[in-house]
Amino acid sequence: MSRIYDRVALIGLGLIASSMFWAIKRAGLAGEVTGYARSEATRETARRIGLCDRVCDSAREAVEGADLVVLCVPVGAMGAVAEEIAPVLKPGATVTDVGSVKRDVIQSVHPHIPPGVHFVPAHPLAGTEHSGPESGFAELFDNRWCLLVPVEGTDPDAVARLRALWEGMGSNVDEMEADHHDLVLAVTSHTPHLIAYTMVGVADDLRRVTDSEVIKYSAAGFRDFTRIAASDPTMWRDVFLTNKDATLEILGRFTEELFALQRAIRTGNGELLHDYFTRTRAIRRGIIDAGQDTDAPDFGRAKAKS
Amino acid sequence: MSRIYDRVALIGLGLIASSMFWAIKRAGLAGEVTGYARSEATRETARRIGLCDRVCDSAREAVEGADLVVLCVPVGAMGAVAEEIAPVLKPGATVTDVGSVKRDVIQSVHPHIPPGVHFVPAHPLAGTEHSGPESGFAELFDNRWCLLVPVEGTDPDAVARLRALWEGMGSNVDEMEADHHDLVLAVTSHTPHLIAYTMVGVADDLRRVTDSEVIKYSAAGFRDFTRIAASDPTMWRDVFLTNKDATLEILGRFTEELFALQRAIRTGNGELLHDYFTRTRAIRRGIIDAGQDTDAPDFGRAKAKS
């Protein structure tokens, strides 16, 4: 794989940024990768484990001379970081991000991008329950989608180059409009996360009553929920605050459907339940057929990891 | 491992029964294992893959002479099967089951158990998204809990013997009272499944609008939900119809909490969201500490499977 950018700057060194670093190195996609994290402890960890070719003590220092700047901070912090680095952005450079919400990031970052610098928002659909600089691994993006959400009038070459980077890191890449992205993610990711958080919270209530039995006998459904609900609290707070409209719309549909099933249970309508469960099973098959998951007991993750 | 029963009969040949057969064989826990399934196609598959030492064409034939009879049919079918096999149960034999609900199974099965036959309800907390005779594997129960729910006055020797079988199949075994079991499972398993079914149903609605994008871009949260929602429709219909009270109670708590979070999103209360998400993350740690899951990217399943 040939080099795509001479210098890449990663701002924020959590799961996504650290995985990007290892994926970039795996394929030789950049000459030098600089990194910056707000927390000194994170920067020290990064230096200790060899994360980034050079860890800098300020965002500006990391960004200077970079051809690509990747904002890997929580969505709510994107605007302030963009404002801070704007004066040192190299002419012709591209700024991108990895935030889970796109309309809000565009609104808060775009005004700070100087003329002559490209802005190409992006969102890799990949993650684990872990966070921080030590959680990354080169295979995180393999065969996962990365959605590019270019704003109107963006230089097609800048978009093509960023696409090549993501493909080099193992991703499949598509382009999507910002509002549509936020709606699709509200249903596939944001609302499911909120629901998982809620269910785990309810169990915690019950746990007080039953002496940790809920944890001890945690069965399949609940274990999956706790894994989802273990994701980074700051990141998810920002997702819900910035993708408010789409999340609330999908939540409205969700409670409507839930009440229908609840009523079927109360009235003993087994036919409705059976039909509903049969339909959702078919959807699962569609996801496996679309290659976004496997039906292996380990969900294909052992292979992706090692 | 020494033989615990001379003859075991498995009635119903789905995921749990087929896994029991392979686990029993792995440890040499029984002399002969007979099997019966209502569907001829299932019986033929069982014969073809060597599932059970002898596949019988009636439940009675499978049960005759058995020291242990395991009812592995959906909860709603337990009573009818018990009634059918009652006349041929061997004196001194034990009848058990693997249903996800215990109060209802006890009410529907116990009246059919003749004097001199022991009845020890059980529930292994293990499963995958797959069902049917070909879905079983010997390691399914390894290091998972099996809950025994003996009815009052049960012979302690019969309970101890069944416990030894489950331990021989790799499980940890605990005893629990029926109503308490049903409440704990409502929160750890039954309600999470209903929620996952609902969310997947909502996504299906949206999918019609967005040309299968929801499936294509299915992100982490949603993928886990679809896996849960792919479980056997008949089994889950019966679970909700027979554990109605506990499920509706937990659903009530769930919607209460969900509305509080929804309100926090609407009003922009980031502190409440962050606190809530931090608390649920701690619960996840508790589950890992309790050994009911691992934090490996494949959740320890590759090891369990192969």
Side-chain angles (χ1 to χ4, degrees):
Chain A
M1 185 77 63
S2 57
R3 180 185 295 192
I4 293 165
Y5 295 98
D6 285 332
R7 189 184 295 172
V8 173
L10 303 172
I11 308 302
L13 295 173
L15 168 66
I16 298 296
S18 55
S19 295
M20 287 184 73
F21 174 75
W22 300 117
I24 286 171
K25 288 292 151 183
R26 178 181 66 171
L29 303 170
E32 186 190 29
V33 179
T34 60
Y36 167 76
R38 196 181 52 171
S39 139
E40 198 183 321
T42 300
R43 297 197 299 273
E44 278 169 17
T45 301
R47 289 188 180 109
R48 179 170 52 77
I49 66 174
L51 176 65
C52 293
D53 299 314
R54 187 159 51 87
V55 177
C56 305
D57 287 322
S58 78
R60 288 196 180 189
E61 188 190 337
V63 162
E64 268 179 305
D67 307 290
L68 178 71
V69 176
V70 190
L71 306 180
C72 307
V73 298
V75 170
M78 296 273 184
V81 172
E83 187 174 12
E84 187 189 343
I85 62 171
V88 297
L89 286 169
K90 177 174 150 181
T94 293
V95 174
T96 185
D97 76 302
V98 298
S100 307
V101 176
K102 295 271 69 83
R103 172 59 59 203
D104 185 89
V105 167
I106 291 170
Q107 280 166 356
S108 58
V109 170
H110 203 203
H112 300 294
I113 304 296
V117 172
H118 311 290
F119 177 47
V120 187
H123 179 204
L125 307 186
T128 73
E129 74 183 84
H130 301 290
S131 45
E134 297 181 276
S135 59
F137 53 99
E139 298 82 5
L140 180 63
F141 310 111
D142 283 350
N143 205 30
R144 296 293 170 210
W145 285 96
C146 180
L147 299 175
L148 302 186
V149 186
V151 292
E152 220 179 285
T154 305
D155 176 28
D157 288 344
V159 177
R161 210 166 155 196
L162 186 63
R163 172 189 281 266
L165 180 79
W166 277 105
E167 288 173 348
M169 291 191 290
S171 285
N172 305 312
V173 178
D174 258 355
E175 292 184 30
M176 200 181 269
E177 189 274 327
D179 287 331
H180 190 61
H181 167 278
D182 289 356
L183 180 67
V184 170
L185 268 289
V187 76
T188 58
S189 172
H190 305 170
T191 308
H193 271 81
L194 191 75
I195 288 166
Y197 277 121
T198 306
M199 190 63 228
V200 173
V202 169
D204 187 46
D205 258 11
L206 195 72
R207 182 169 60 104
R208 283 185 211 111
V209 184
T210 61
D211 277 312
S212 87
E213 282 167 322
V214 167
I215 285 184
K216 187 174 172 191
Y217 302 121
S218 167
F222 190 69
R223 272 207 312 277
D224 287 330
F225 278 36
T226 63
R227 186 154 35 77
I228 299 173
S231 308
D232 185 60
T234 304
M235 171 191 152
W236 282 100
R237 176 199 63 196
D238 286 3
V239 164
F240 295 121
L241 295 180
T242 57
N243 198 18
K244 182 188 291 198
D245 294 345
T247 305
L248 290 178
E249 185 200 327
I250 302 301
L251 267 178
R253 291 186 185 220
F254 171 80
T255 45
E256 207 176 277
E257 296 261 320
L258 186 63
F259 287 157
L261 289 177
Q262 191 169 335
R263 189 182 161 78
I265 293 174
R266 201 184 295 282
T267 61
N269 188 342
E271 197 182 331
L272 187 149
L273 295 172
H274 193 273
D275 288 351
Y276 203 96
F277 301 163
T278 302
R279 186 160 66 90
T280 58
R281 186 175 232 195
I283 298 168
R284 168 69 181 169
R285 295 217 184 90
I287 288 173
I288 293 174
D289 291 346
Q292 282 296 291
D293 208 347
T294 93
D295 63 353
D298 68 347
F299 316 119
R301 297 193 192 221
K303 194 179 154 200
K305 170 81 182 177
S306 65
Chain B
M1 184 77 63
S2 56
R3 179 184 296 193
I4 293 167
Y5 295 97
D6 285 331
R7 188 184 297 172
V8 173
L10 303 173
I11 308 302
L13 295 174
L15 168 66
I16 298 295
S18 54
S19 295
M20 286 183 74
F21 174 74
W22 300 117
I24 286 172
K25 288 292 152 182
R26 179 181 66 171
L29 302 170
E32 186 190 29
V33 179
T34 60
Y36 167 76
R38 195 181 50 172
S39 136
E40 197 182 322
T42 300
R43 296 197 299 272
E44 276 169 18
T45 301
R47 288 188 181 109
R48 178 172 52 77
I49 67 174
L51 176 65
C52 293
D53 299 313
R54 187 159 50 89
V55 176
C56 304
D57 287 322
S58 79
R60 288 195 179 190
E61 186 190 338
V63 161
E64 268 178 306
D67 307 290
L68 178 71
V69 176
V70 191
L71 307 179
C72 306
V73 297
V75 169
M78 295 273 183
V81 172
E83 187 175 10
E84 186 189 344
I85 62 171
V88 295
L89 286 168
K90 177 175 149 180
T94 294
V95 174
T96 185
D97 76 302
V98 298
S100 308
V101 175
K102 295 271 70 86
R103 172 60 58 203
D104 185 90
V105 168
I106 291 170
Q107 280 166 355
S108 58
V109 170
H110 203 203
H112 299 295
I113 304 295
V117 172
H118 310 290
F119 177 47
V120 187
H123 178 204
L125 307 184
T128 73
E129 73 185 84
H130 301 290
S131 46
E134 296 182 275
S135 59
F137 52 99
E139 299 82 5
L140 180 63
F141 310 111
D142 283 350
N143 205 31
R144 298 291 171 209
W145 285 96
C146 181
L147 299 175
L148 301 186
V149 185
V151 293
E152 222 181 282
T154 306
D155 175 28
D157 289 343
V159 177
R161 210 166 155 196
L162 185 62
R163 172 188 282 265
L165 180 80
W166 277 105
E167 289 174 347
M169 290 192 290
S171 286
N172 304 313
V173 178
D174 259 355
E175 291 184 29
M176 199 180 270
E177 188 274 328
D179 287 330
H180 190 61
H181 167 279
D182 289 357
L183 180 66
V184 170
L185 268 290
V187 76
T188 58
S189 173
H190 305 169
T191 307
H193 271 81
L194 192 75
I195 289 165
Y197 278 121
T198 306
M199 189 63 228
V200 173
V202 168
D204 188 46
D205 258 12
L206 196 71
R207 181 167 61 105
R208 284 186 210 111
V209 182
T210 62
D211 278 311
S212 87
E213 282 167 321
V214 166
I215 284 184
K216 187 173 172 192
Y217 303 122
S218 167
F222 190 69
R223 272 206 313 277
D224 288 330
F225 278 37
T226 62
R227 187 154 33 78
I228 299 173
S231 308
D232 185 60
T234 304
M235 172 191 152
W236 283 100
R237 176 199 64 196
D238 286 3
V239 164
F240 295 120
L241 294 181
T242 56
N243 197 18
K244 181 188 291 199
D245 294 345
T247 304
L248 291 176
E249 185 200 327
I250 302 301
L251 267 178
R253 290 186 184 218
F254 171 80
T255 45
E256 209 176 276
E257 297 261 319
L258 186 64
F259 287 158
L261 290 177
Q262 190 169 336
R263 188 181 162 79
I265 293 173
R266 203 184 293 281
T267 61
N269 188 344
E271 198 183 330
L272 186 148
L273 294 172
H274 193 274
D275 288 352
Y276 202 96
F277 301 165
T278 303
R279 186 159 67 90
T280 57
R281 188 175 230 195
I283 298 168
R284 169 68 181 167
R285 295 218 184 90
I287 288 173
I288 292 173
D289 292 346
Q292 281 297 291
D293 208 347
T294 97
D295 62 353
D298 68 347
F299 318 118
R301 297 195 191 222
K303 195 179 152 203
K305 170 80 181 175
S306 66

